[in-house]
Amino acid sequence: MALPTPTLLHHTKSSPIPSLQFRHSPLFSLTSLPKKTLILNPNNPRLLPKKKTMTLHSANVQSAVTEAVKLIQSSPPTWKSAIFSNILIFVLGSPILVSGLSVSGIEAAFLLGTLTWRAFGPSGFLLVAIYFVIGTAATKVKMAQKEAQGVAEKRKGRRGPGSVIGSSTAGCICAFLSIFLVGGDAYSRLWQLGFVSSFCTKLSDTVSSEIGKAYGKTTYLVTTFKVVPRGTEGAVSVEGTVAGLLASILLAFVGCVIGEINAAEAVICVLASQIANLGESIIGAALQDKEGFRWLNNDAVNIINISMGSILAVLMQQVVQNWWM
């Protein structure tokens, strides 16, 4: 049986792939691409010359500084200006604040400063700042000697929040009364007087105590005039009393110069502060650390002291005003 002859498959040789002509193709012609125009944005500093960029930055800084100054000088002060001013001052003055206050004490002082600025503006804040600087300096006097005698303030004289609150309660109340116009314009001057008198009272108390502990030769208990050791509650010394009086006069003078009070009110502040400090010494000698009065610590006594100074100044001013009228 004859086998069929196999059919031979003939593969035709394919023609070579035609070469692509990029050069003349309209798809790849550079001339066919759309032309874009580069536009410089004058507000984009990356596209500006270096000299113009520096000028732009300088203008922005100058504008920011101008706005900040306007905010600080807001009259009457606002909460926004009070907060901003305190942040700026506390950052710049942090080395001084750290030397006189603990961290929590700084937080309390920031609240006091903000409230003071909002109520009485930069002049009221300056008065409190001067009070703080003088009080801190007096506390640091002969610190090693005070520590050796066991009469120094804790934490190397760095005050905590209790001390800040105790020293400023009356001033804060006067600030709130002023902010919310309690009593109207007729009473606004009284709240300002009470504010200044409270800090004159506290500064006099701090300086008399610290200088008395450092330099007092003889210390007497105010209720009996018995000689007692330095640092005894209710004790006074000639050196401390004179120093406290001078400190009160100095702060009242500053308050008069910056326009917080007038000359007659400055005299009232000094008198009220000395009467209040005498009352504080009597309370310390008669009640502090006694049975039934354990709650009457230094911070509580400070609140009573500055409240007396503030209230006495307001009452004395009213008496003088009615007498002259």
Side-chain angles (χ1 to χ4, degrees), residues 183-196:
D185 294 336
Y187 282 82
S188 61
R189 189 72 183 180
L190 287 178
W191 309 144
Q192 201 162 351
L193 172 63
F195 174 82
V196 176

Side-chain angles (χ1 to χ4, degrees), residues 27-109:
L27 294 176
F28 297 93
S29 175
L30 294 176
T31 59
S32 65
L33 294 176
K35 295 181 179 180
K36 294 183 179 180
T37 303
L38 181 62
I39 301 176
L40 292 177
N41 182 359
N43 295 322
N44 187 353
R46 295 181 180 178
L47 302 178
L48 293 176
K50 185 175 181 181
K51 189 174 182 180
K52 289 186 177 181
T53 302
M54 293 176 63
T55 303
L56 180 61
H57 286 321
S58 177
N60 291 337
V61 171
Q62 185 177 1
S63 176
V65 170
T66 302
E67 291 299 320
V69 171
K70 286 182 179 179
L71 184 61
I72 294 173
Q73 294 178 340
S74 298
S75 182
T78 63
W79 286 113
K80 185 177 180 181
S81 67
I83 294 173
F84 175 78
S85 301
N86 272 264
I87 291 175
L88 180 63
I89 293 170
F90 271 59
V91 170
L92 295 177
S94 56
I96 299 176
L97 290 170
V98 170
S99 68
L101 296 170
S102 64
V103 175
S104 54
I106 292 175
E107 294 172 353

Side-chain angles (χ1 to χ4, degrees), residues 77-184:
T78 63
W79 286 113
K80 185 177 180 181
S81 67
I83 294 173
F84 175 78
S85 301
N86 272 264
I87 291 175
L88 180 63
I89 293 170
F90 271 59
V91 170
L92 295 177
S94 56
I96 299 176
L97 290 170
V98 170
S99 68
L101 296 170
S102 64
V103 175
S104 54
I106 292 175
E107 294 172 353
F110 180 83
L111 297 177
L112 167 63
T114 301
L115 186 61
T116 298
W117 192 290
R118 174 62 181 83
F120 305 112
S123 59
F125 186 93
L126 177 62
L127 185 85
V128 177
I130 292 174
Y131 151 79
F132 171 75
V133 171
I134 297 175
T136 300
T139 303
K140 301 291 185 181
V141 171
K142 290 196 173 184
M143 177 59 72
Q145 173 187 305
K146 295 174 185 175
E147 288 178 332
Q149 295 174 349
V151 296
E153 290 291 329
K154 299 177 182 178
R155 298 182 295 270
K156 297 288 184 180
R158 298 174 67 213
R159 312 278 179 166
S163 179
V164 174
I165 295 171
S167 302
S168 63
T169 300
C172 289
I173 292 174
C174 290
F176 271 116
L177 293 173
S178 178
I179 291 171
F180 295 104
L181 298 176
V182 176

Side-chain angles (χ1 to χ4, degrees), residues 189-190 193 196 252 260-270 313 317:
R189 189 72 183 180
L190 287 178
L193 172 63
V196 176
E260 284 292 300
I261 53 176
N262 58 36
E265 290 169 339
V267 174
I268 289 175
C269 286
V270 174
Q317 196 274 348

